[in-house]
Amino acid sequence: MAAANATLDALDPSNSSQNTLKLENTEKRDTLIAIEKEYQKRWAEDGIFQPDAPSTSEIPLHSVSAQELHSRYPKFFGTFAFPYMNGTPHAGHSFTISKTEFAAGFCRMQKKRVLFPLGFHCTGMPIKACADKLVRETEMFGREFERCPETAVVDGTQPSETGPPAPTQAQTREDVTKFTAKKSKAVAKSVKLKYQFQIMLALGIPLNEIHRFADPHYWLTFFPPLCKRALTNFGARIDWRRSFVTTDANPYYDAFVRWQMNRLKELDKIKYGKRETIYSPKDGQPCMDHDRSTGEGVGPQKYTGLKLKVKEWSSEAQEAINNKVPQGMDVYLVAATLRPETMYGQTCCFVGRHITYGIYKVNENEYFVMTDRAARNLAYQGVPGVFPRFGQYPLVTEISGTALVGTLINAPLSVHKDGVRVLPMETVMATKGTGIVTSVPSDSPHDFATVTELAKKAEFYHIKKEWAKLEVIPIIKTPSYGDLTAPFLVKQMKISSPKDAKQLEEAKELAYKEGYYQGVLLVGEFKGKKVSDVKENVHNRLEENGEAFVYWEPESVVMSRSGDECVVAKMDQWYLNYGADTQWRDQTMDWLQNGLNTYSAEAQNAFEAVVNWLNKWACARTYGLGSKLPFDPHFLVESLSDSTIYMAYYTVAHYLHKDIFGKEQGIGGIKPEQMIDEIWDYIFARRELDDQLIKESGIDKKTLEAMRREFEYWYPLDQRVSGKDLINNHLTFFLYIHIALFPQENWPRAVRVNGHLLLNGEKMSKSTGNFLTLDDMIKKYGADACRIALADAGDGVEDANFEETVANSSILRLYTLKEWCEEMIKNQKDLRTGPKDELWDRLFENETNSLVHDARRNYEETLYKLALKSALYDFTGARDFYREVTNATGVGMHHDLILQYIELQALLLVPIAPHWAEYIWLEVLKKPSTIQNASFPQVPEPDAALTAAREYVRATSSSITSAEAAQLKKKSKGKNVQFDPSKPKKLTIFAASKFPDWQEKYIDLVREAFDATHLTVDDQRLNPKIVKLGETKKSMPFVQGLKRRLVGGEDPRTVFERKLAFDELETLRQMVPGIMKTVPGCRGVRVVLVDVGGKTGRDVLQAGGDGDGGGAVVKDLPFNAEGAVPGNPTFFFDNVED
C-alpha cells in the first residue's frame, strides 16, 4: 500500500484548503449554523419550497389561456445547469447556483409561485471511463491497491531538512497534477496523479471504499445524496420532489429522452451520414465536449494535403530507406496547407531537423512521409486510396528530418517544374499539420525570412546555397503590399531573422488577410480572379489531378477522459443538424436577438457567434452511460444531447416517481412503460387527448390533465443560469431544441451566464491549497455568511472573486446585528415614543425607504452585489448614523422606527441570508409564519428634499472632520496652523443665502442638456460648452452638484431656480448638538449667514437670531467665508479658553 500511503500523505484532503483563511474563535459562527440547521429542518418538514401549478379542479384545463393563468397566478421557473455526478459541488458551482437561488428568493417575495428544481447529470463517458480505470487498477494492484509500488506514483525524491514551505496564494505550480507531501525532517515526495484510485483519494473517498466505484452505477448512488445534502445545508430553495438522475438508470427519464430523439428525427433535425468529427480511437467513438479532459470546444480543422512526389532522395535519405521501400514505388512527402491558392509560388519545402518522420504504406503503389500523429489522423478519414483499413497506418520505416534535407521533390502547381528541395526550418512542429511545410516566400513572411537565412548560412545548415535561392515570383497582387507581400512586410517591419517570432506572427496575419480578401491571382488557371473566389477551386483542381486530398485534424490537442489523444475521423453517425438547417438556425438567431434576455452585451455577442459557426453535432456514441438511441439502439444519446430540454421534465417529474431512480411511482401512479411518445406529446402541448390515447396508455385522464397543467403553467422557463463556458455547447443547444420541439410561447425567456469564480483572488486549485467545496465553505462559515460572500463576489460575465475575509466578517456582522435586534426588542420600552417629528427621524425613515427601493431595483435586475450593498451594508449604515446622531443630540431613537427598521432589515435579506432573516422574523419579531412567504416591503417613494438634507448632513459632517484632520496633519509636520486641534476650540460654520452670479450661465447650459423624462444629462453636449468658457476648475464641481440633484430626482424647478430642497439653516441648527459631542474639545458652535461679498454676516443661532437670517451682525469674517454657497458651507476653527 506504499503508493496509496504516499498519495494520502500528499493528498490529505485538508491540504486542498491549507492556504485558505484560518478561523480561530468559532462560537459566533456555531450559533448562526445552529439557527440555520433549525430552519432548514422546518422548511423541509413544511414543504415550503414545493410549489404546484393551480389545480385543474380549481381552474379547469383550457378554461383560460396560459397567459391568463400566469396573470392570475404569477410564477417564476428558474434552473441552473445540473451538476455532473463525478464529485461534489465546489465553490465555483455554488456561485452559479447562488444566482438562481437569489432570484428564487426575490420572486417568492413578489408573490410568485417559484419553482427551482434540480436533477443529477450522469450521462456520458466521464463516470464510465473512471470506473473502467478502477477495474483495471484493482486487477493490477488489488482491491486496496496494495500492490502498487510507491515508485509508480512518486516522480523522485529530494532531501529536505524542514520540508518545503507551504505554498502561498501568490504561488503556483507548473504541473497541477503533482502534489508534494508536507513532512518535516523527512523526504519531500513529488506525487503524480497517475492512477484513478489516487484521484478518488483526492476526493476524500476512503481507501477501502474506492473499489466500489469500479461499478459506474455506484457513482449514481454515492454522489447525488452528497450534492443534495450540501445544497440543503446551503439553504437552497430547491423542490427536491422533482429530482432525477439521467441515463436509463431512471426509466421515466429514459422514456423522455427517447421521445425527444424520435421527434427530432421526425422533424428532420437528426440526420445520418458521413461527417468529420473529433474521435477517440481508444474509446472507439466520437469524443464530444463533455467527454474530454482537455480541448472542450475544439473542432475539426480542414487542410489541403499536398502530395510532394520524391524525384531524387538525398544520399542520407536513400541510405535510410534502402531495401525498405520497394523499387518503383511512388513516395510522397505530404504537406498540410491552409493556403492551396499560393502553391504556384513554391520554392522548397521545410522539415524539422529534429523530428522523426514515418514512411507509411498507403496502398499497393504509394507511400507517404509524415509524422506518426498525422498518419494516425489520416487513417481514420477514409480518403480514397489512402489507408484502406479504418484506423490502420502501416509503418515501413522511420527517417529523421535531417536525412530528408536535400531531397528533390515535385511541387504541384509550382513554376519550378524541375523540382524543389527539402530544406530545414527550426519552427516546424510535429504537433501541427503533418510536420512538413510547403514554402511560398512570395506570400509567407515566415518562409521568406527562413529562405533568406538559409541562403546566408548555407554551410552552417549543410545545404547548397542555390537550393534556397530559387526565384521568388509574384503570384498574388494586393492593394497594400504589392505583388510580393512577404518581402514587403519583412522589410517594412524590420524583420531580420526567423527568430523575430512576434513580428513574423503579426506579419503573417496581415499577409493572410490582405491576400485572401483583397488579393488577385497573377498566375495559373485562375489568373485575374480574387483569391477568396477561387481558393476552393484551386484545391479541387489539385484533388482532381491526384496531387492533393482533404486532410483533417483537431484545431488543437483534445484528450478524452480515458486519456486518449483524439483524432478527426470521417464516419457514419447520427448528428443534430445545427447550423446546416438554415431555417432552424435563423429561427434560433431571431429569438436570440429579439426574444431572449441575455443580461449583457458580452453574453449576447458570444451566443450570436456560436449560432453563426455551430454546425452538425454528433448526438450518439457507443460507449458510456446514457439512453439508447430509439431508432438505432446500439448507440447511446451523448451527454450534451440528452440534456437540452430536461427543464420540461422537471414540471412533471413528481407525478412520475418519488425517488431519483424512478423505482417508486410518483403521485400519478404511472409505470415507465405507460410513458409512450404520444403521452409526452400531450403533456408538452404538442397534441390533444383522445379516448384512444387514454386507452393505449392506461393513464387516468385527470392525471394526464394535471400533468399538462403543470407543464403549461411552469413553462416557459423564465431564467436559465450557467457558466459562460456552456454558451459554446449546452446553452446554444438548449435554445435550438426548445425552438424545434415547442411553440414560441414556450421558448426560454432568459439566460444568465457568469464567469468563473476565483478564491481569494487566485484560481482555485487543490495543488496550491486554495480550494473549497461547498460543504467546506458551509462548515467553515455557515450558509448565510457564504451566501453574502457569493453575492459580494460579482455579477458580470467576467471572473468573480469569493473573498473569505468577506465571509468571515459577515459572521460577526450577522451575529452582532442579531444581538442588537434582540436587545432593541427586549428594551423597546426605553425607546422614544410619540410623534416622529425630529429631523433625524424623518431623515432615517426616508433613507430606509430609499434603500428599500434601491434593493428592489437591484434584485429585479439580478445585480446581487448592489442589492447586498443596499439591503445590508448601506441599510445598517443608515441605522448606525441614526443611532449615533440621536444619541449625540440627546433625542434618542424612536420606537416605531426601530421596529420598522428591524422588520425591513429581515425582509431585505430574505433572498441572500434567509436563515438569519427567518430567525429575526419568527424569534425576535414573533411573526406567526415563515418569512419565506412574506412579500417584499412596500414603502413610500423617498422624499427628494429629505434625501438632499441627508446628503448635506453627511457632507457637512465629513467636511468638518476633514478640516480638523488637515490641521492635525500640518501640525504633526511642524507647519504653522490656524488653531491647535488638541486644545479647546470653537467652530464657526459659514452659510450663504444666495448663489454667486457667475453660476447663472452654467445653470442655463445644464438646463439645455437635461432630459426631464429620463432624468439624464447629455454630457457630450454639455461638457464642450463648459470647457469653452474656460472656468472648469471653478465650474465643474458646481455643475456636477447640479447633475447629482437632477438625476437624484429633485424637482428641476427647484434646482434651476437655485433653491435648496431643504432648509439649510434649520438643518445646521439641528446638527449643532451632535457637532458639540462629536468634535473633540469643541466648546461652541456658531452659524453665520454670510452677506453678499463675504465680509459680514449674521449669527443666526445667537440669542435674538430667528434662524432665518436674523441675529447679531458679525464683521471682518475670515477669507474662507466668501467661499460659502447655499448647500456647501465653509468652516473656521479658533481656540478658546476653558
Side-chain angles (χ1 to χ4, degrees), residues 772-784:
L772 287 173
T773 66
L774 176 56
D775 193 51
D776 293 335
M777 290 166 58
I778 296 168
K779 288 177 179 176
K780 191 170 186 179
Y781 299 110
D784 282 345

Side-chain angles (χ1 to χ4, degrees), residues 3 141 148-155 192 194-195 198:
F141 304 131
C148 183
E150 183 174 333
T151 54
V153 299
V154 176
D155 281 353
K192 183 80 173 178
K194 182 178 180 181
Y195 297 108
Q198 296 176 280

Side-chain angles (χ1 to χ4, degrees), residues 844-862:
F844 178 53
E845 184 169 25
N846 186 71
E847 185 172 15
T848 56
N849 289 344
S850 177
L851 290 170
V852 168
H853 285 284
D854 288 347
R856 175 187 287 273
R857 181 174 60 256
N858 292 324
Y859 278 131
E860 287 173 343
E861 295 175 1
T862 72

Side-chain angles (χ1 to χ4, degrees), residues 6-12 15-16 18-19 151-158 164-165 167 171-182 188-195 198-199 202 765-770:
T7 304
L8 282 169
D9 285 342
L11 299 180
D12 180 351
N15 287 339
S16 67
Q18 64 184 339
N19 284 333
T151 54
V153 299
V154 176
D155 281 353
T157 62
Q158 57 183 22
Q171 295 173 326
T172 57
R173 299 182 187 274
E174 290 184 2
D175 188 341
V176 298
T177 67
K178 291 182 180 179
F179 294 75
T180 303
K182 310 300 182 292
K189 299 174 181 179
S190 182
V191 177
K192 183 80 173 178
L193 284 187
K194 182 178 180 181
Y195 297 108
Q198 296 176 280
I199 296 172
S765 169
K766 289 184 178 180
S767 64
T768 61
N770 192 51

